[in-house]
Amino acid sequence: MRVPLSWLREYVDLPATETGRDVQAKLISAGLEVETVEHLGADLKGPLVVGQVLTIEELEGFKKPIRFCTVDVGQANGTGEPQEIVCGARNFSVGDKVVVVLPGATLPGGFSISARKTYGKVSHGMICSSDELGMGDDGTHGIIVLPPETEVGKDAVELLELVDEVLDIAVTANRGDCLSIRGVARETAIAYGLPLRDPALLDVPGPNAFGYPVKVSDPAGCDRFTARTVTGLSPEARSPIWLQRRLQKAGMRPISLAVDVTNYVMMELGQPLHAYDRHQVQGTIGVRRAQEGEKIVTLDGVERKLHAEDLVITDDRGPIGLAGVMGGADTEIADHEPAEEGAAATTDVIIEAAHFDQVSVARTARRHKLSSEASRRFERGVDPQAASAAAQRTVDLLVLLAGGTAEAGVTEVIAPSAPHTVTLAADHPDKVAGVTYGRETVVRRLQEVGCDVYGQDELIVTVPSWRPDLTDPNDLAEEVIRLEGYENLPSTLPRPPAGRGLTGRQRLHRRVGRALAGAGYVEALNYPFVSEQVFDQLGLEADDPARRVVKLVNPLSDEEPALRSSLLPGLLAALRRNDGRGSHDLALFETGLVFQPRDAARVAANLPVDRRPSPDDIAALNAALPDQPRHVAVVLAGAREQAGWWGKGRQADWADAVEAARTVAREAGAELGIRKGQYGPWHPGRCAELTVTVDGAERVVGHAGELHPRVLKSLGLPARACAMELDLDVLERVGDTVPQAPSISTFPVATQDVALVVDAYVPASDVEAALREGAGELLESIRLFDVYENAEQLGEGRKSLAYALRFRADDRTLTVDEASAAREAAVALATDRTGAVLRG
């Protein structure tokens, strides 16, 4: 909501010394989010005056039309002589009043004006358009043509109100009252402790039998409908400059007098209005739900197929408007300028000021993807009591500015309703804030908001019609607290009860993040939304469980309607983005939830709001949700170790992805099994399958390795990119996170090396497992330190694996015979299981 400070001052007598920044600080303190204060005309410097075009000479021989004009600017140029100006615009004629900037002036943006020779003539100044003056779009896309009665030589800066301050307020969904000058003025008056001149306090005639006929068939969707008629509007009447400028400052484009007046009153009072051409409305105006399949052409020229839940305005022909969203083209106000040849301008109008259901308007606007100024207000809550005042204000302005006549008929269709009351303990705000305000302060602040308050220890509060968001005692307490100042609340640290803290799952999550960060990975948090097309790009089989996803009813993007079943799509997208921006050496990680649909869909029950849900209630709610295990994933590309004076660098490869999995497993205290695997996006020859033992059975918990070239090409990823993903919840379940002190022996270690020749297809992990089991209890550690392949020495399809075995006993120094015997036992078992032979 854009609020010009000059408009705000009409309703609140702010001190003359108060600037937009001062008002911004006050409103922010009161809880409104004032994002910026725009200083209009801050760098504008005159002379900028009104001139009258005396002559126009068309200059020939140029690629575009050029005109040489003489303009009467009175005594503004110091001589009284006509000002000679070159101009390329063509939307003005001899005799028109225009805005002229003279040499020595400066326009917005620091553009200095001086006499200069152009197109063979000397131009002493410039005839201005609205864009050049920073006024915004006025719909003409040309020179500003002023009303004929404007005085020549008059200061155009003052005439066009070019110098002002505009507050840009981000209005939250619960404060629809602040989508109006009236609402912001009320907040400003409270903040400064000044009286408010409420623009809605008008003398409004009561309803009678002479008004335009209206029938409301759905009082739940429309609980108030006011209709007024104005006849005899002058087809030549234009919106005055002050009205156009206020609309422009508020962010709206002037269109025509009747439309501008309804927009002006909407901005002023917050009540959306609509004006119908009376001669285009046939019969009684009705309000009802649409019939499935009905169609309407809205003011934006789009034909829309209506839904049975849409609330529509109708006449005898059918729908003529989407209630609270946008009017129909059939009853559009016709301005005298854009009217087609033979078409009559609108002289008689019907003014609609109605109150529509918030939810109905919101759903219609979203269903048709049609957000408007009116729908924004109805969605957030409009004052139903302001409808008649807004209609009266519109009628008054049309009579004043267009020479119309207000008909005596007044139509008001109102569904009976009682004011909303809330019972509030006088000390409830004190308990909420932890501050003693006292009854007098509570009553005073609620009355400033507009509430009627009665009672002593227990207050009966009648909520004002313009604050539909105040529904319970906590809402009223918040009003007291914000008006007394959030900054005045004491800062105290909470005292957590002893014995509580992070859960085991949370501690593991943090340890894993710290460990991966220490290993050189950067955390990347991604949105949990994916497109189902990404599973094809990842090369998943048609029956892969990861393809079963939870779909959202109202996704943020239609292109990503599902919740992720894997962390890889988001991480790989982040990898691609960063690589495309020049960061080629990347190591990213993420820990987060994935979503897996349950076999049987359940509907969650509505939880009670008057008490804490029971454990059974919470269990039933969780049972209706999808499974949400926590995963951890990494992706790598480019150099893992940089080259430098210390030596050559090293590219990231599949072993780094596997080592990341080992790092995670160590933090979880889980024993991770690693073996050759083949799955989805990973290269079949460079993929490790990661397993753990759960309840005596081996379970696959993830994969690591180099991604398949086909996947890299499909997703646009750098060559040889690697990835790893693990189920962190399963690791937590099988892990032992109790710290174990290392066993340190005082006896020396005995090292034995062994080189075994096996078939090339035999995994090194299988050979290592056999060696470890065969060596027995004396084996302290085993490490693969060399892999050698040479067809001439080893034979075709064979490879050599060299291991360093460390033996140690806790109670004695091992002899050479004991170490050798353990080594021979290890080799024997490896020979039986893998066909390994000692390398000669």
Side-chain angles (χ1 to χ4, degrees):
M1 176 68 189
R2 290 172 55 85
V3 180
L5 190 60
S6 58
W7 198 351
L8 194 62
R9 289 182 183 274
E10 279 201 9
Y11 310 126
V12 184
D13 289 326
L14 294 172
T17 56
E18 288 294 287
T19 66
R21 294 290 186 191
D22 299 327
V23 177
Q24 178 189 32
K26 286 281 189 180
L27 293 180
I28 289 176
S29 178
L32 294 185
E33 186 179 347
V34 185
E35 293 186 328
T36 60
V37 177
E38 184 178 351
H39 297 269
L40 302 181
D43 51 356
L44 177 65
K45 178 183 175 183
L48 188 72
V49 298
V50 175
Q52 184 173 21
V53 180
L54 301 178
T55 64
I56 297 177
E57 177 187 351
E58 300 288 347
L59 302 182
E60 304 293 338
F62 300 103
K63 294 182 179 179
K64 61 179 181 179
I66 298 296
R67 312 167 95 186
F68 181 64
C69 311
T70 59
V71 185
D72 178 14
V73 294
Q75 296 299 319
N77 58 4
T79 64
E81 297 294 323
Q83 200 79 0
E84 297 180 339
I85 298 174
V86 175
C87 183
R90 309 192 65 79
N91 68 313
F92 64 95
S93 307
V94 172
D96 283 345
K97 303 290 180 64
V98 295
V99 178
V100 179
V101 57
L102 300 177
T106 303
L107 294 182
F111 182 55
S112 299
I113 302 299
S114 61
R116 63 190 183 96
K117 188 172 183 179
T118 179
Y119 297 104
K121 300 284 187 179
V122 178
S123 181
H124 298 272
M126 189 168 71
I127 302 175
C128 298
S129 68
S130 60
D131 286 339
E132 290 163 342
L133 297 179
M135 294 169 57
D137 184 12
D138 63 357
T140 64
H141 303 292
I143 295 301
I144 301 171
V145 179
L146 300 171
E149 63 274 12
T150 309
E151 178 186 349
V152 172
K154 184 178 179 64
D155 183 4
V157 175
E158 178 183 351
L159 175 69
L160 299 177
E161 302 176 16
L162 297 178
V163 178
D164 202 350
E165 293 181 278
V166 179
L167 284 70
D168 194 350
I169 303 175
V171 179
T172 55
N174 66 320
R175 292 303 305 272
D177 60 305
C178 288
L179 283 174
S180 66
I181 303 296
R182 179 196 184 200
V184 177
R186 182 181 294 108
E187 292 295 319
T188 305
I190 295 172
Y192 279 91
L194 297 172
L196 169 70
R197 288 188 292 275
D198 192 342
L201 294 180
L202 301 174
D203 291 330
V204 179
N208 54 53
F210 310 108
Y212 197 91
V214 173
K215 179 182 179 182
V216 177
S217 302
D218 190 337
C222 176
D223 58 8
R224 182 180 292 263
F225 195 106
T226 300
R228 300 288 299 274
T229 304
V230 181
T231 60
L233 301 181
S234 171
E236 302 301 323
R238 297 174 55 188
S239 299
I241 293 174
W242 64 266
L243 192 149
Q244 294 187 45
R245 288 297 295 133
R246 286 193 171 178
L247 288 177
Q248 288 176 323
K249 292 176 188 179
M252 302 191 75
R253 178 172 64 87
I255 298 173
S256 65
L257 177 58
V259 176
D260 292 349
V261 167
T262 58
N263 285 336
Y264 177 84
V265 175
M266 177 181 67
M267 301 301 295
E268 182 180 56
L269 301 182
Q271 168 66 53
L273 301 113
H274 190 69
Y276 300 95
D277 188 329
R278 182 174 180 177
H279 298 295
Q280 301 299 326
V281 178
Q282 298 180 12
T284 301
I285 292 178
V287 183
R288 62 168 171 83
R289 297 290 172 176
Q291 298 173 8
E292 191 69 40
E294 277 188 308
K295 295 181 180 179
I296 183 175
V297 178
T298 46
L299 288 173
D300 57 358
V302 177
E303 182 180 79
R304 302 182 186 276
K305 187 176 181 180
L306 301 179
H307 188 274
E309 291 185 5
D310 291 337
L311 192 66
V312 293
I313 311 298
T314 65
D315 64 4
D316 290 351
R317 295 168 297 179
I320 59 173
L322 283 173
V325 180
M326 184 174 287
D330 290 343
T331 57
E332 181 179 6
I333 297 292
D335 191 23
H336 69 280
E337 290 183 354
E340 298 178 1
E341 186 176 350
T346 299
T347 57
D348 301 340
V349 297
I350 302 171
I351 306 300
E352 167 210 304
H355 185 260
F356 301 111
D357 177 62
Q358 292 178 241
V359 175
S360 176
V361 172
R363 287 178 176 173
T364 298
R366 282 157 181 73
R367 189 178 296 117
H368 295 282
K369 296 181 174 61
L370 185 61
S371 180
S372 64
E373 291 288 344
S375 68
R376 287 181 62 226
R377 285 163 173 79
F378 279 121
E379 289 172 15
R380 288 162 174 79
V382 169
D383 181 5
Q385 303 292 334
S388 56
Q392 182 63 45
R393 177 74 165 136
T394 305
V395 168
D396 292 343
L397 287 172
L398 288 176
V399 170
L400 174 67
L401 302 177
T405 301
E407 289 196 350
V410 177
T411 302
E412 279 197 6
V413 180
I414 303 174
S417 62
H420 180 62
T421 60
V422 179
T423 301
L424 172 75
D427 62 347
H428 184 65
D430 300 359
K431 294 178 180 178
V432 173
V435 176
T436 302
Y437 293 124
R439 179 187 177 280
E440 291 185 1
T441 298
V442 171
V443 172
R444 175 172 57 85
R445 288 302 190 184
L446 292 179
Q447 288 175 339
E448 288 177 346
V449 172
C451 299
D452 290 331
V453 185
Y454 302 96
Q456 292 299 318
D457 294 339
E458 186 174 81
L459 305 178
I460 306 300
V461 182
T462 302
V463 175
S465 59
W466 56 82
R467 290 299 303 275
D469 59 306
L470 303 180
T471 60
D472 57 56
N474 287 331
D475 294 331
L476 299 177
E478 183 181 4
E479 291 299 294
V480 175
I481 295 168
R482 76 174 181 89
L483 295 179
E484 283 295 304
Y486 292 120
E487 68 277 8
N488 296 323
L489 294 177
S491 299
T492 57
L493 292 175
R495 296 181 180 179
R500 297 184 184 178
L502 298 176
T503 65
R505 189 185 195 209
Q506 290 169 330
R507 288 195 294 271
L508 175 60
H509 178 205
R510 294 191 178 189
R511 287 202 311 273
V512 168
R514 285 194 293 266
L516 290 175
Y521 291 85
V522 176
E523 186 171 17
L525 301 178
N526 299 289
Y527 286 118
F529 311 116
V530 296
S531 165
E532 293 182 88
Q533 181 184 358
V534 75
F535 300 126
D536 296 328
Q537 296 172 317
L538 290 175
L540 300 185
E541 299 291 338
D543 58 348
D544 194 295
R547 284 184 175 270
R548 294 183 63 237
V549 294
V550 177
K551 291 188 178 180
L552 299 172
V553 175
N554 56 341
L556 293 179
S557 169
D558 292 336
E559 297 179 357
E560 296 180 329
L563 292 173
R564 65 189 178 190
S565 57
S566 166
L567 299 181
L568 288 183
L571 270 180
L572 293 175
L575 183 74
R576 179 179 63 248
R577 250 188 332 268
N578 284 273
D579 181 72
R581 294 173 182 175
S583 298
H584 304 302
D585 303 326
L586 296 162
L588 308 178
F589 84 94
E590 181 178 10
T591 59
L593 302 180
V594 299
F595 305 87
Q596 300 167 351
R598 298 182 187 270
D599 294 333
R602 300 183 183 180
V603 178
N606 291 326
L607 296 181
V609 296
D610 59 339
R611 57 183 170 81
R612 188 183 189 281
S614 68
D616 290 341
D617 291 334
I618 297 175
L621 179 63
N622 288 332
L625 297 175
D627 289 326
Q628 301 175 57
R630 183 176 292 278
H631 281 201
V632 57
V634 305
V635 293
L636 305 100
R640 186 70 176 124
E641 296 175 4
Q642 296 290 339
W645 57 265
W646 52 85
K648 295 181 179 181
R650 182 177 67 81
Q651 291 295 108
D653 60 18
W654 61 269
D656 294 300
V658 174
E659 182 57 31
R662 289 195 178 102
T663 300
V664 174
R666 281 195 296 270
E667 293 299 323
E671 184 176 346
L672 192 67
I674 301 173
R675 66 189 183 201
K676 182 179 179 181
Q678 182 173 344
Y679 175 70
W682 280 277
H683 193 296
R686 297 166 190 159
C687 173
E689 193 172 71
L690 311 174
T691 64
V692 295
T693 301
V694 181
D695 298 330
E698 191 175 61
R699 177 172 170 179
V700 177
V701 291
H703 295 82
E706 184 179 317
L707 295 175
H708 198 289
R710 187 167 54 247
V711 173
L712 300 179
K713 181 179 180 181
S714 176
L715 293 175
L717 299 173
R720 307 301 293 271
C722 302
M724 178 278 294
E725 184 168 13
L726 271 173
D727 189 327
L728 195 55
D729 282 356
V730 176
L731 290 182
E732 179 192 7
R733 194 184 318 156
V734 302
D736 181 7
T737 57
V738 177
Q740 300 292 332
S743 176
I744 301 176
S745 174
T746 59
F747 297 97
V749 66
T751 302
Q752 296 272 354
D753 292 346
V754 58
L756 301 176
V757 179
V758 296
D759 291 331
Y761 63 82
V762 175
S765 59
D766 291 352
V767 177
E768 180 180 326
L771 289 174
R772 186 182 299 275
E773 183 178 345
E777 296 179 354
L778 296 179
L779 181 67
E780 182 178 79
S781 67
I782 181 172
R783 180 175 62 88
L784 175 67
F785 65 86
D786 184 55
V787 178
Y788 176 71
E789 295 183 12
N790 188 310
E792 294 182 2
Q793 297 184 17
L794 304 177
E796 191 68 34
R798 305 279 282 174
K799 64 182 177 182
S800 171
L801 303 175
Y803 293 89
L805 286 72
R806 292 167 55 92
F807 299 98
R808 195 194 313 255
D810 294 334
D811 56 351
R812 68 188 186 281
T813 299
L814 292 178
T815 65
V816 174
D817 292 341
E818 288 178 308
S820 298
R823 171 182 177 275
E824 291 170 1
V827 171
L829 187 58
T831 300
D832 289 343
R833 288 190 179 176
T834 65
V837 297
L838 279 171
R839 183 177 168 188

